[in-house]
């Protein structure tokens, strides 16, 4: 029995055992303690002293959400394949656990070796969305680490961050030592190698940062100065020395690395428990609001047999009941029909469920619909027209005619689906109230068609989100709609759908406003984030935790105008806070595309012909080493 | 032999270690289903839209309690040697789950839960306890005629559910507690309730189920 207690502390290190014994005592007092103990199937625990580099991969939200994050799991697998590296994990504790840790003065620890995060060489922070920023600060604080990079030295872990939100790293730049911009699979290994060489040489933190800044795709913000004009716009971004990269070009892999098959299988329920395989990366459609579609170029596909083999291996190693294919636009995958046939076999052999999100209206064929119906009987069907009128859809470059859309809808109902989910956005550039009213009309028209074809049990669900002008997109210069206008538009939708039996869900406009600040901010916004966290902000992505008052107060205390970041349209020749980060797509291309949007001019799918977005010129050499057919650029 | 007669009912004994201490009863069901899937054994699935492995856990283990002795029944479409079954399960078990014994049982037997009679628990304290003080507390508890408590807004008497309770002394001198509690359906005692009556909160000790006793 006493031995059983000690089982978790497999190294008789006194500080570690003491930490875990103290944690064990508080666990029975918190909700869902299974979040904080690790012990999952396929986790990797290495003897602490047997490796050179200890890296903690941190997802700044609770275990229930972070555990299934494919990106972090992939890095965990890649790093742990190296014998000289131990990659462990940490997540945000929920509020009750945070209080218990603070009351008992217990530092945040890793799930594998139960080590304080401060004991690690490197903390790799995953920042896939901006609303994790306050949680990130909270984690540093719970780890008993100084929040600002400037206040940390060689004795502290190196804090690196990556993920989709760091395509604009500035708002969190004072807290992060180095950012990995772009795809992390190869860059993270370079970072560890650089760290090992530096550690062996016994250098200073400045020397480490200088060495990291030489890695392609790595941005060390403290080596770049940002100066501002009197009107608050950016005057210049200047590197400390001329040999530093400017702009910092994102990192990509020439070929998609093999898909993950060694999934961590949780012992307590989490939000996504399934085998996920990314079938392709990038998108060629060019929707002007879409951050992912712009920053994840070029489009690269995984071979069909690699996907099917990975799904089978993943199922064998996890015992999961569900598989999921990931991509920005599954129906654009060039071998979608053979893929679905392969999935059907898998379904029959192993009795699993399949989810296949992100289908494009334009790429639907009757064949595809036939195949899909047999694959996911009984499920709902999701379409994302994003806007209610042809005019608006041309502006956002998702040009689908009303007729083509209704044809698809009819076909969906004819194939036996009874539930259709429609995704729309309000607050688009140049949007009129008529464009908004048309959303309600379109929903009602879909419901009408459904009832004609599929009968009275037809259901239509409209999901409404708010447009946020994102960095590196053609709409990056546009202002975020005012809260009054968004509310007016929501009211129009409520009135338009009143009594229509269309279920409508919508995002809190204030939450979207927060996202617009955080995604469009510059370096000065970091003070607002810090203040908001000090005011109590955390779990901002959780509607029941998000508190706008913390943020409003923070802007006031810091003396910055929130509207400057959100509602102001930016000048076309203004230096944008993310201009020194090159996501591969040229600013001139985005500018042209934005100007086209003002004329209602669309840009067709670029697989039909290259528009010179900049990807091929930025990564010309990489493409030469990419295997045939991997890149779908023409 | 008809297909129906081939169905084999397998009974497992297994231990649940500290890393699974906070994996509750429903999560254990899912964990077992996935383990059975990974094992590649000819598991019997339920019919219907979402087929699920048919399995039957003997008794829910309270959250936070570890166990040296849990039991589970599941069904297979084709009989296999028990050693083969044990090997497949052991190779696919997650950390903290130790397959101890695999036997084949009659299909006619009633459900495991219905066969439950009593559970035994060993308590280890995080901080050393004075032996005599603990013995006095135990004696006082056992002397009580009634121990009325409230569980889910219903009043019940804990005293008849305590079949045995005593102070233990390990070889290294560590003082603990051992108890045998009733575990019949609808009359199940929990170790944390006994500990609460003795004046201990669940942050002060670790409980381990050391035995499940089935009706003869």
């Amino acid at each position: 029995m006493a031995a059983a207690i000690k089982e978790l502390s497999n190294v008789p290190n006194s500080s570690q055992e003491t930490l875990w014994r103290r944690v064990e005592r508080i666990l029975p007092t918190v909700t869902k303690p299974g979040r904080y103990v690790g012990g999952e199937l396929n986790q990797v625990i290495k003897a602490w002293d047997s490796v050179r580099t200890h890296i903690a991969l941190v997802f700044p939200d609770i275990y229930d959400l972070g555990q299934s994050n494919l990106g972090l799991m992939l890095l965990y697998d890649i790093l742990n394949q190296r014998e000289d590296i131990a990659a462990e994990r940490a997540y945000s504790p929920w509020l009750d656990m945070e209080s218990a840790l603070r009351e008992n003065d217990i530092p945040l620890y890793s799930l594998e070796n139960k080590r304080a995060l401060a004991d690690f060489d490197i903390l790799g922070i995953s920042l896939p969305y901006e609303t994790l920023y306050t949680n990130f600060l909270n984690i540093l604080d719970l780890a008993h680490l100084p929040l600002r990079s400037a206040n940390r030295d060689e004795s502290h872990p190196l804090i690196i961050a990556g993920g989709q939100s760091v395509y604009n790293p500035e708002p969190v730049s004072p807290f992060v030592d180095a950012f990995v911009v772009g795809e992390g699979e190869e860059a993270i290994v370079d970072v560890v190698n650089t760290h090992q060489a530096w550690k062996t040489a016994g250098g200073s933190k400045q020397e480490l940062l200088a060495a990291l800044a030489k890695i392609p795709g790595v941005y060390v913000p403290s080596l770049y100065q940002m100066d501002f004009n009197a009107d608050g716009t950016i005057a210049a971004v200047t590197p400390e020395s001329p040999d530093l990269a400017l702009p910092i070009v994102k990192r990509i892999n020439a070929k998609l690395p093999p898909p993950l098959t060694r999934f961590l299988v949780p012992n307590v329920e989490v939000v996504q428990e399934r085998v996920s395989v990314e079938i392709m990366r990038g998108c060629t459609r060019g929707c002007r609001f879409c951050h992912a579609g712009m920053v994840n170029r070029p489009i690269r596909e995984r071979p069909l047999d690699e996907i099917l083999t990975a799904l089978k291996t993943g199922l064998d190693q996890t015992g999961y009941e569900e598989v999921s294919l990931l991509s920005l636009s599954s129906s654009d995958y060039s071998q979608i029909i053979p893929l679905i046939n392969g999935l059907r076999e898998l379904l029959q052999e192993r009795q699993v469920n399949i989810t296949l999100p992100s289908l494009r209206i334009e790429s639907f064929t009757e064949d595809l619909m036939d195949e899909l119906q047999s694959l996911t009987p009984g499920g709902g069907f999701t379409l994302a027209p994003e806007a209610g009128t042809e005019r608006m859809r041309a502006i956002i470059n998702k040009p689908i005619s009303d007729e083509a859309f209704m044809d698809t809808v009819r076909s969906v109902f004819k194939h036996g689906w009874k539930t259709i989910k429609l995704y729309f956005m309000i607050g688009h550039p140049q949007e009129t109230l008529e464009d908004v009213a048309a959303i309600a009309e379109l929903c009602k028209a879909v419901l009408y068609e459904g009832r004609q074809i599929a009968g009275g049990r037809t259901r239509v669900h409209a999901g409404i989100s708010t447009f946020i002008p994102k960095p590196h997109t053609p709409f990056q210069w546009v202002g975020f709609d005012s809260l009054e206008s968004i509310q007016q538009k929501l009211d129009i939708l409520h009135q338009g759908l009143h009594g229509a039996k269309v279920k409508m869900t919508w995002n809190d406009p204030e939450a979207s406003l927060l996202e617009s600040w955080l995604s469009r901010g510059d370096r000065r916004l970091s003070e607002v984030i810090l203040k908001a966290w000090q005011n109590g902000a955390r779990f901002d992505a959780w509607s029941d935790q998000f508190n706008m008052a913390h943020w409003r107060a923070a802007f006031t205390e810091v003396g910055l105008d929130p509207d400057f970041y959100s509602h102001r349209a930016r000048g076309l020749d203004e230096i944008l806070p993310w201009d020194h980060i090159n996501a591969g797509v040229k600013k001139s291309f985005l500018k042209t595309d934005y100007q086209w949007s003002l004329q209602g001019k669309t840009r067709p799918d670029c697989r039909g012909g290259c528009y010179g977005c900049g990807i091929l010129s930025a990564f010309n050499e990489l493409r030469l080493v990419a295997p045939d057919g991997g890149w779908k650029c023409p | 032999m008809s297909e129906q007669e081939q169905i084999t009912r397998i009974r497992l004994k297994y231990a649940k270690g500290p890393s699974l201490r906070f994996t509750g009863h429903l999560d254990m069901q899912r964990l077992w289903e996935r383990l059975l899937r990974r094992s590649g054994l000819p598991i019997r699935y339920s019919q219907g839209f979402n087929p699920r492995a048919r399995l039957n856990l003997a008794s829910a283990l309270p959250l936070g309690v570890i166990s040296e002795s849990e039991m589970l029944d599941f069904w297979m479409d084709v009989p296999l040697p028990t050693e083969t079954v044990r090997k497949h399960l052991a190779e696919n078990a997650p950390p903290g789950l130790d397959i101890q014994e695999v036997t084949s049982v009659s299909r006619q037997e009633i459900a495991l839960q219905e066969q439950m009679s009593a559970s035994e628990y060993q308590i280890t304290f995080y901080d050393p306890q004075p032996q005599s003080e603990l013995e006095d507390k135990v004696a006082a508890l056992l002397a009580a005629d009634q121990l009325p408590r409230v569980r889910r807004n219903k009043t019940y008497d804990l005293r008849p559910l305590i079949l045995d309770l005593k102070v233990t002394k390990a070889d290294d001198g560590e003082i603990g507690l051992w108890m045998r509690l009733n575990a019949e359906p609808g009359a199940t005692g929990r170790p944390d309730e006994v500990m609460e009556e003795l004046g201990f909160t669940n942050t002060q000790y670790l409980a381990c189920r050391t035995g499940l006793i089935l009706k003869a």
Side-chain angles (χ1 to χ4, degrees):
Chain A
M1 263 306 294
I5 295 179
K6 282 166 193 148
E7 182 199 292
L8 283 172
S9 318
N10 55 359
V11 182
N13 171 305
S14 59
S15 71
Q16 177 203 6
E17 189 173 326
T18 308
L19 186 150
W20 185 243
R21 281 182 174 246
R22 289 164 70 207
V23 172
E24 277 214 305
R25 287 180 178 224
I26 61 173
L27 287 178
T29 68
V30 302
T31 51
K32 246 183 139 179
R35 291 164 174 163
Y36 309 113
V37 298
E40 305 95 332
L41 181 80
N42 292 332
Q43 79 167 353
V44 182
I45 304 185
K46 296 182 180 176
W48 187 262
D49 295 326
S50 72
V51 299
R52 278 178 78 189
T53 305
H54 305 96
I55 177 165
L57 300 172
V58 179
F59 193 92
D61 207 319
I62 56 167
Y63 176 86
D64 314 37
L65 278 165
Q67 197 280 341
S68 53
N69 183 272
L70 191 62
L72 213 65
M73 234 186 291
L74 197 59
L75 297 182
Y76 183 80
D77 187 54
I78 289 170
L79 291 168
N80 276 319
Q81 281 176 25
R82 279 262 300 257
E83 264 183 35
D84 58 338
I85 302 172
E88 309 200 352
R89 295 165 299 138
Y91 305 91
S92 287
W94 189 242
L95 304 172
D96 56 352
M97 181 63 168
E98 179 186 337
S99 301
L101 290 171
R102 287 188 190 280
E103 276 160 25
N104 294 280
D105 200 33
I106 301 171
L108 193 62
Y109 56 89
S110 67
L111 293 185
E112 280 78 5
N113 267 310
K114 318 302 196 234
R115 284 282 185 151
L117 292 187
D119 289 349
F120 284 79
D121 297 296
I122 302 171
L123 302 190
I125 317 287
S126 175
L127 295 173
Y129 38 92
E130 295 82 359
T131 37
L132 297 179
Y133 290 167
T134 53
N135 281 21
F136 160 46
L137 293 185
N138 204 37
I139 280 181
L140 291 183
D141 190 59
L142 285 167
H144 302 173
L145 293 170
L147 301 188
R148 291 177 200 272
S149 171
N151 297 335
R152 294 190 299 261
D153 58 28
E154 340 18 78
S155 71
H156 298 109
L158 177 79
I159 311 293
I160 59 172
Q164 296 282 308
S165 79
V166 313
Y167 279 100
N168 176 14
E170 289 308 320
V172 284
S173 58
F175 316 119
V176 174
D177 296 317
F179 292 94
V180 174
V181 180
E183 296 169 359
E185 292 101 329
E186 292 167 4
I188 189 96
V189 176
D190 291 349
V191 167
V192 172
N193 288 342
T194 303
H195 189 277
Q196 287 185 341
W198 166 81
K199 204 171 157 187
T200 306
S204 68
K205 187 179 174 189
Q206 274 314 308
E207 286 168 319
L208 173 61
L209 294 180
L212 290 170
K214 298 224 159 51
I215 301 173
V218 172
Y219 170 54
V220 178
S222 59
L223 302 181
Y224 294 78
Q225 193 184 323
M226 189 171 267
D227 293 309
F228 295 91
N229 297 311
D231 66 357
T233 57
I234 296 166
V237 174
T238 324
E240 213 172 58
S241 71
D243 61 330
L244 285 165
L246 186 74
I248 292 93
V249 181
K250 74 167 177 183
R251 188 74 176 264
I252 62 166
N253 311 307
K255 177 183 186 285
L256 294 188
L260 181 73
T261 52
R262 198 183 156 87
F263 292 84
L264 285 152
V265 182
N267 294 323
V268 295
E269 195 171 1
V270 301
V271 289
Q272 285 184 357
E273 304 182 18
R274 56 201 188 196
V275 173
S276 298
V277 174
E278 189 185 17
I279 62 172
M280 61 179 188
R281 207 171 276 183
C283 179
T284 51
R285 295 281 180 177
C287 299
R288 290 175 177 134
F289 55 83
C290 183
H291 183 253
M294 292 292 160
V295 301
N296 292 312
R297 294 177 178 211
I299 192 164
R300 283 148 293 162
E301 291 192 350
R302 279 215 162 95
L304 176 67
D305 55 344
E306 196 176 288
I307 296 168
L308 291 172
T309 306
L311 289 172
K312 281 180 193 158
T313 314
L315 285 170
D316 288 346
Q317 296 205 354
T318 59
Y320 276 153
E321 311 74 20
E322 194 171 314
V323 300
S324 168
L325 303 184
L326 306 180
S327 75
L328 292 170
S329 172
S330 306
S331 48
D332 284 342
Y333 180 64
S334 59
Q335 304 212 61
I336 185 72
I337 299 276
L339 177 58
I340 289 177
N341 283 326
L343 288 174
R344 187 178 304 106
E345 270 172 43
L346 202 66
L347 189 93
Q348 281 154 1
E349 275 169 23
R350 325 233 169 173
Q351 318 208 28
V352 292
N353 298 318
I354 290 166
T355 61
L356 187 81
S358 304
L359 300 156
R360 292 285 302 210
I361 296 160
E362 305 93 309
S363 45
F364 263 111
T365 58
E366 289 289 315
D367 276 358
L368 181 54
M369 213 113 41
D370 285 338
E371 303 287 348
L372 278 176
Q373 176 56 22
S374 65
L375 199 63
T376 57
F381 200 100
T382 304
L383 294 169
E386 305 291 359
T389 57
E390 291 183 5
R391 183 191 86 90
M392 198 69 249
R393 291 195 290 268
I395 290 170
I396 64 174
N397 201 39
K398 204 165 185 183
I400 308 145
S401 70
D402 288 339
E403 196 188 336
F405 174 70
M406 291 311 293
D407 281 348
T408 304
V409 164
R410 274 187 286 272
S411 184
V412 169
F413 286 124
K414 276 181 193 148
H415 279 85
W417 279 281
K418 298 210 180 291
T419 302
I420 285 193
K421 260 184 162 180
L422 300 173
Y423 286 137
F424 296 98
M425 230 181 245
I426 54 172
H428 285 303
Q430 307 172 64
E431 183 179 60
T432 65
L433 298 184
E434 286 73 40
D435 291 315
V436 176
I439 292 175
E441 295 311 311
L442 199 61
C443 292
K444 286 190 277 193
V446 171
L447 183 65
Y448 176 81
E449 289 294 338
R451 286 190 171 157
Q452 299 295 308
I453 300 164
R457 284 170 58 209
T458 302
R459 280 190 185 25
V460 176
H461 175 181
I464 313 291
S465 59
T466 310
F467 164 74
I468 296 162
K470 289 281 189 167
H472 305 288
T473 67
F475 285 157
Q476 62 180 351
W477 292 277
V478 174
F480 178 75
D481 207 355
S482 72
L483 289 184
E484 297 72 30
S485 166
I486 295 167
Q487 195 51 56
Q488 187 188 8
K489 289 169 181 176
L490 284 173
D491 291 345
I492 288 172
L493 290 175
H494 281 297
Q495 283 159 18
L497 291 173
H498 184 72
K501 304 253 180 204
V502 172
K503 191 184 160 203
M504 174 177 145
T505 52
W506 63 97
N507 288 357
D508 172 13
E510 287 201 324
S512 301
L513 178 59
L514 171 69
E515 200 184 322
S516 85
W517 291 330
L518 297 177
S519 59
R520 294 160 65 72
D522 54 42
R523 203 168 274 198
R524 297 169 306 177
L525 195 75
S526 59
E527 294 302 312
V528 176
I529 297 170
L530 181 63
K531 269 281 183 294
W533 169 72
Q534 285 167 343
N535 291 344
R538 63 209 61 184
F539 292 109
D540 295 307
W542 293 64
S543 56
D544 58 341
Q545 299 298 323
F546 168 57
N547 185 342
M548 187 51 112
H550 294 327
W551 289 93
R552 297 269 187 207
F555 271 105
T556 307
E557 288 160 46
V558 172
L560 283 175
D561 172 18
D563 294 356
F564 175 83
Y565 292 102
S566 46
H567 303 309
R568 180 178 67 94
R570 317 244 168 151
L572 279 176
D573 45 9
E574 187 178 326
I575 298 175
L576 301 172
W578 48 89
D579 274 353
H580 55 295
I581 303 295
N582 181 352
V585 178
K586 289 182 294 198
K587 195 176 181 184
S588 58
F589 173 87
L590 296 176
K591 205 179 281 184
T592 306
D593 207 54
Y594 171 52
Q595 284 159 339
W596 283 16
S597 82
L598 298 171
Q599 302 156 19
K601 188 173 167 188
T602 59
R603 193 191 286 277
D605 188 321
C606 65
R607 272 173 302 185
C610 181
Y611 295 95
C613 73
I615 280 291
L616 288 181
S617 49
F619 299 108
N620 199 17
E621 285 170 32
L622 263 188
R623 195 188 189 181
L624 294 177
V625 301
D628 295 344
W631 292 32
K632 293 294 165 187
C633 289
Chain B
M1 207 159 51
S2 77
E3 195 185 323
Q4 187 64 23
E5 285 164 340
Q6 282 218 352
I7 300 168
T8 306
R9 179 172 172 183
I10 298 288
R11 178 158 302 167
L12 301 177
K13 278 194 179 170
Y14 66 96
K16 188 181 167 192
S19 56
L20 290 171
R21 194 182 151 192
F22 295 110
T23 303
H25 190 59
L26 287 177
D27 287 333
M28 280 308 286
Q29 296 253 11
R30 284 155 7 106
L31 185 146
W32 269 108
E33 281 187 45
R34 287 172 184 163
L35 167 50
L36 291 171
R37 273 178 180 270
R38 288 195 300 274
S39 73
L41 293 168
I43 303 304
R44 166 130 295 214
Y45 286 93
S46 66
Q47 303 297 309
F49 192 62
N50 282 320
R52 302 188 62 175
R54 190 175 157 200
L55 61 94
N56 191 329
L57 289 154
S59 166
L61 189 67
L63 200 69
V65 177
I66 63 172
S67 177
E68 290 172 356
S69 172
E70 293 300 288
M71 287 168 85
L72 162 84
D73 280 3
F74 71 93
W75 285 259
M76 298 195 307
D77 285 336
V78 186
L80 285 172
T82 50
E83 177 49 29
T84 309
V85 174
R86 195 202 61 77
K87 196 164 163 287
H88 278 265
L89 293 176
E91 280 168 2
N92 288 284
L97 199 149
D98 182 26
I99 312 284
Q100 295 168 328
E101 203 181 299
V102 179
T103 51
S104 179
V105 292
S106 161
R107 278 199 296 128
Q108 273 73 39
E109 255 189 40
I110 55 167
L112 257 178
Q113 290 98 320
E114 305 291 316
Q115 298 183 48
M116 281 291 298
S117 159
S119 290
E120 295 171 345
Y121 298 90
Q122 175 70 44
I123 305 295
T124 311
F125 292 98
Y126 290 137
D127 296 319
Q129 296 296 317
Q131 185 174 356
S132 58
E133 205 176 290
L134 199 58
E135 273 166 354
D136 290 349
K137 281 184 185 173
V138 166
L141 190 74
L142 292 176
D145 288 336
Q146 283 191 330
L147 292 168
R149 289 182 59 91
V150 178
R151 190 200 291 174
R152 289 194 199 110
N153 298 324
K154 274 167 71 181
T155 310
Y156 73 101
D157 185 5
L158 176 64
R159 181 61 192 87
L161 300 180
I162 305 173
L163 305 178
D164 202 353
L165 175 65
K166 57 192 179 197
V167 175
T168 58
K169 192 169 182 176
D171 292 343
D172 62 0
E174 203 176 318
I175 300 299
L177 278 170
W178 178 86
M179 62 184 85
R180 180 184 289 150
L181 304 178
N182 207 58
E184 288 173 85
T188 300
R190 292 171 52 114
D192 53 321
E193 294 169 336
V194 178
M195 294 305 288
E196 224 173 274
E197 290 293 332
L198 289 169
F200 294 102
T201 68
N202 59 3
T203 61
Q204 293 174 292
Y205 62 88
L206 181 64
C208 175
R209 180 139 80 183
T210 51
L212 284 180
I213 296 156
L214 300 185
K215 287 171 189 158

